[in-house]
Amino acid sequence: LILLLRLAITWVGLWLGLLVRNPDTVGVIVFPLAFPLTALSNVFVAPEMMPGWLATIAAWNPLSATVAACRELFGNPGAGGDSWPAAHAPLLAVVWPLLLITVFAPLAVRRHRRMER
């Protein structure tokens, strides 16, 4: 599951990297996007302990789904809470990366082909 998420994030990174001309710009763009996703996940704090909309983001993001699925598969299912995303974490841990790959792989390939011309 972790490798599948990594593959999906790699496609997102490839697409972003092909959009900008300077490789250093990717870091400037990706870090502000990736850091909040990591902080707003169930990796460190249960979503139930977060206020309102932050809890929703923490419960529904791809990293949270993968973390909750790994916890469940390794025998610690209660750490994610009682929400729908926590109850269906293995399913979401597969669906999120497949969705990201489905969207960003064609975008990256199309962008690369345009650059070749």
Side-chain angles (χ1 to χ4, degrees):
L1 294 176
I2 293 169
L3 292 176
L4 182 61
L5 181 62
R6 180 178 178 185
L7 177 65
I9 291 172
T10 299
W11 279 110
V12 174
L14 285 170
W15 178 71
L16 286 172
L18 291 168
L19 284 178
V20 298
R21 295 177 192 259
N22 183 353
D24 295 332
T25 308
V26 175
V28 173
I29 293 170
V30 171
F31 183 75
L33 295 174
F35 183 72
L37 182 65
T38 305
L40 294 176
S41 68
N42 63 5
V43 174
F44 304 111
V45 178
E48 292 80 20
M49 298 180 75
M50 295 180 184
W53 62 274
L54 292 177
T56 303
I57 293 171
W60 282 94
N61 75 53
L63 182 60
S64 290
T66 303
V67 168
C70 290
R71 284 180 180 149
E72 184 175 322
L73 294 172
F74 284 111
N76 189 12
D82 295 328
S83 64
W84 192 92
H88 298 86
L91 173 67
L92 287 175
V94 172
V95 170
W96 265 117
L98 292 178
L99 179 66
L100 290 171
I101 292 168
T102 301
V103 170
F104 287 99
L107 289 174
V109 170
R110 190 176 310 128
R111 180 70 180 174
H112 184 264
R113 285 185 181 155
R114 274 194 227 145
M115 291 177 68
E116 288 179 342
R117 294 181 192 160

